[in-house]
Amino acid sequence: MMFESSQFDSTPSFVSSQTADPSPSSAKTRDAQPMHPVTVKQIVEASSSDGDKSNFLIDGVSVYNVKLVGMVFDKTARVTDVSFVIDDGTGRIGCKRWVNDAQDTQEVEELTDGIYVRVHGHLSSYKGNKEIVLYAIRPVKDYNEIAYHFIECAHAHCSNTKLQKNGSVTLASSTATTPNNGQQAISSSQVSQDYSMDGLGSIGKLVLDYLQLPTSSAKEEGIHRNEIAQKLKISQEKIIEAMESLESEGLVYSTIDECHYKPVSA
Amino acid sequence: MDTSNPAAFVNAELLRMYVGRRVRAVIQVLRNDGGSIFGKSTDEQELVVKGHPPNPPTTFVEVIGIADSNRSIQAEIWTNFGDNFDVSSYNTICQLANGDFKHLFI
């Protein structure tokens, strides 16, 4: 794709609106949260976790901040806020943008029904209805951004579901039977923990443990796989197999040649 | 909050699966007689889009409307997508949105 992410992710209005948001309690949470590219359908199907009405699960991952691209409808301007519906072709969801200063006003004045916009905001629930409280709204000028956004959604969906398949067996099987249902009360940190601990074969786990020993990780060139085979008394073929899978999981990397390995996190 | 009326991403190949339903497609305008547009879909087949095209249309227009046959769309919303448009990315999205990632879309 021909896009530079900076083109979409760092406009002055976005930065200023972050500081101008009237809900200071959420500001901290927001800064620590990634921005998830999603479709409206994914939001509608998202379940809220633990009754926390600002915490939703999409693909089993806890999602707070979202970005969407879609068309504006039913714009309603009030003194302190502007609300509208965004339709991305997969569904419609209400959006609200608080208006605090001149820059915010300028941002919402550009909005008219029927134009394409990219919005950044956080998921919220109001009277049982999900809505997005926006930090930033930008009209789409380059329409390739639409395809780009949905490719990003597909990519994020892949990485999040792959994370779960490689996670614990129970998690993988429960999502297999209910693919769109994120009922499992699992936070993203738990998923990544499962991912690194339980998704490996027993040999993989032994190898990783060996590589993570202080005596091993102190060696700058890493450890030769023959040494691992010898120390763990496991055949070289099985070690090679385990190394390949660890490498493809991104848990180890080869160093001076393809026989020496170091763990990604020591 | 509503997903009852989605508009499926389509090219000409996929259009046939949605006759009578809401779709969205990007068309490269070949001929415009004011009441309909004859153009090329993102998978390079000829399509007819009926309705009131923008005046003037840009090289690429997006239409959202009802598929009324496997070669034509009755447009409700037209958007000029300009003269520079990456047709192959859009066509890929049509395929993904009707294939492996359908559940994210419709």
Side-chain angles (χ1 to χ4, degrees), chain A residues 172-217:
Chain A
S173 63
S174 61
T175 50
T177 50
T178 52
N180 287 326
N181 175 347
Q183 294 292 350
Q184 314 82 5
I186 294 213
S187 72
S188 56
S189 63
Q190 280 173 302
V191 172
S192 56
Q193 200 177 2
D194 290 341
Y195 171 61
S196 57
M197 300 310 290
D198 298 338
L200 307 171
S202 54
I203 298 177
K205 180 83 174 68
L206 288 172
V207 170
L208 196 60
D209 284 346
Y210 186 76
L211 287 173
Q212 285 171 338
L213 288 176
T215 47
S216 308
S217 54

Side-chain angles (χ1 to χ4, degrees), chain A residues 32 60 160 219:
Chain A
N160 290 337
K219 290 184 187 166

